[in-house]
Amino acid sequence: MTRLITAEIARLLSRRFTSIALIVLLLGLGGYQLIVNKSLSPLTGEQLAAAQRAYEQSHQDWVDNHDKYERDCRNTGGAPTECTMPEPSLANFSVDPTPFKEVATTALEVSTVLVALGAFLIAASFIGAEYSSGSIANWLTFIPRRRQVFWSKLLTIIGFSALLGAFAAALVVSAALVLARLHGSPIESLTEIAAMGLRSVLAVVGLTVLGFCAALLTRHTAGAIGVLLGYVVVWFVRRGPLNSLAWAQRLTPWTPEAGLAAIVGHGYSYSVPIENVTPDGARIEWVERTVSLTHGAVYWSILLTLAIIGSLLIFRRRDVV
């Protein structure tokens, strides 16, 4: 088994698609650090001066006209609370740097999505190319023990994706730390961010396994990509045209993306539209609900177990020529 895994590792790392995907991911994560740097950067002297000028103009207008504006508002039937114009402050015209915790959390979320999709494609191509080229038949002729071959390939791609996810999480958090120190931004919640980084590795591994299983079942890399794109279409319809339908949003806890979001973010919040009929007519209220970390972990554990068992049973019995 060890020799099989060693051979699979060598094949995975020698593939051109793997190298290209890793380079693209590295460039994408590196480019995103420009956004992180902008979020953590304090306002320049020119920006502060522009904010000061805008504040002074707005404040002068409030001093000269706020009584008239409030009186006109009340004359048109507005309530006193609605017509009160608060005095503007300088904080309304300047933007403070984004807190480190928010920046690091967003960076982890973005990196998790990018790396998980990249690992999905790498895993799908890893097994799909063997079916397309016919090399899987030669490999099974040389080593006819299908169960060992299956597990060696799956364990190889799991280990690769775990290392890739851990590296990406460490990279984006380290970059955010360096940029925060350069800009003098307070650093907080490191333990919470580190825990989120570890959970993001689980999300990367989960999507990688699905990519491997989808390509194995469809016998082609394009088949796995088609499955992914098909699900994206379903997600778009549910979040777009069906967004205002309560039954469509109640399905959220049973969708893969909600489970992954709950795992990475230690919970995931979503809203369900509830229609209330009043004497003034129907009104829709949005009720917030939460998918827990435990729910997401159990959901994905069952999903991956079924996908792996199904793929193994088919791989053991199906003609692969």
Side-chain angles (χ1 to χ4, degrees):
M1 189 67 174
T2 303
R3 290 194 300 173
L4 283 176
I5 293 177
T6 302
E8 296 296 346
I9 292 174
R11 191 176 74 83
L12 175 63
L13 297 180
S14 65
R15 299 192 70 245
R16 184 180 303 172
F17 185 85
T18 302
S19 301
I20 294 174
L22 291 178
I23 292 173
V24 172
L25 286 175
L26 186 60
L27 291 176
L29 295 177
Y32 185 76
Q33 302 316 306
L34 298 175
I35 299 177
V36 174
N37 181 68
K38 182 178 180 180
S39 300
L40 292 171
S41 300
L43 294 179
T44 63
E46 182 179 349
Q47 290 173 325
L48 288 173
Q52 181 67 33
R53 289 194 298 270
Y55 160 71
E56 291 175 353
Q57 293 175 359
S58 179
H59 187 267
Q60 187 61 46
D61 180 69
W62 180 86
V63 170
D64 296 338
N65 301 305
H66 79 279
D67 288 335
K68 179 179 180 299
Y69 292 155
E70 292 178 0
R71 186 169 56 253
D72 292 343
C73 177
R74 289 193 296 269
N75 291 337
T76 57
T81 55
E82 298 175 348
C83 295
T84 301
M85 295 186 61
E87 182 178 0
S89 64
L90 182 59
N92 301 132
F93 297 88
S94 60
V95 180
D96 293 331
T98 308
F100 168 78
K101 178 182 177 181
E102 183 178 341
V103 170
T105 299
T106 304
L108 274 175
E109 291 172 349
V110 171
S111 70
T112 301
V113 172
L114 292 178
V115 174
L117 290 177
F120 179 97
L121 295 177
I122 291 173
S125 174
F126 178 61
I127 184 66
E130 287 196 276
Y131 278 102
S132 300
S133 64
S135 62
I136 186 66
N138 295 331
W139 186 240
L140 291 176
T141 301
F142 180 66
I143 303 178
R145 295 167 295 177
R146 293 196 176 198
R147 181 182 300 175
Q148 288 85 344
V149 171
F150 175 86
W151 285 113
S152 66
K153 294 179 182 298
L154 182 60
L155 291 176
T156 296
I157 205 67
I158 287 176
F160 172 80
S161 62
L163 291 175
L164 180 60
F167 172 77
L171 178 65
V172 297
V173 172
S174 299
L177 276 170
V178 172
L179 293 173
R181 291 190 181 278
L182 287 176
H183 296 299
S185 179
I187 297 174
E188 56 185 9
S189 304
L190 271 179
T191 303
E192 183 179 341
I193 292 171
M196 182 180 179
L198 292 175
R199 293 194 302 271
S200 71
V201 176
L202 298 178
V204 173
V205 172
L207 207 58
T208 301
V209 172
L210 283 188
F212 176 86
C213 293
L216 187 147
L217 294 175
T218 60
R219 299 194 185 198
H220 206 286
T221 306
I225 297 176
V227 171
L228 180 62
L229 292 179
Y231 185 79
V232 169
V233 172
V234 173
W235 173 86
F236 177 79
V237 171
R238 192 177 64 84
R239 296 299 299 270
L242 303 182
N243 183 56
S244 59
L245 299 181
W247 66 265
Q249 302 314 311
R250 289 195 181 98
L251 295 176
T252 299
W254 312 107
T255 58
E257 77 276 5
L260 280 185
I263 292 173
V264 176
H266 204 288
Y268 172 71
S269 298
Y270 66 100
S271 298
V272 176
I274 304 296
E275 184 176 346
N276 293 324
V277 179
T278 65
D280 298 329
R283 184 177 60 181
I284 294 179
E285 295 181 356
W286 293 86
V287 179
E288 186 174 282
R289 296 180 181 174
T290 303
V291 180
S292 67
L293 169 62
T294 302
H295 178 96
V298 171
Y299 177 92
W300 268 87
S301 297
I302 296 173
L303 177 63
L304 293 180
T305 299
L306 294 177
I308 291 172
I309 292 176
S311 299
L312 176 59
L313 292 176
I314 291 176
F315 184 75
R316 287 181 59 193
R317 297 179 178 276
R318 185 173 65 185
D319 182 10
V320 297
V321 179

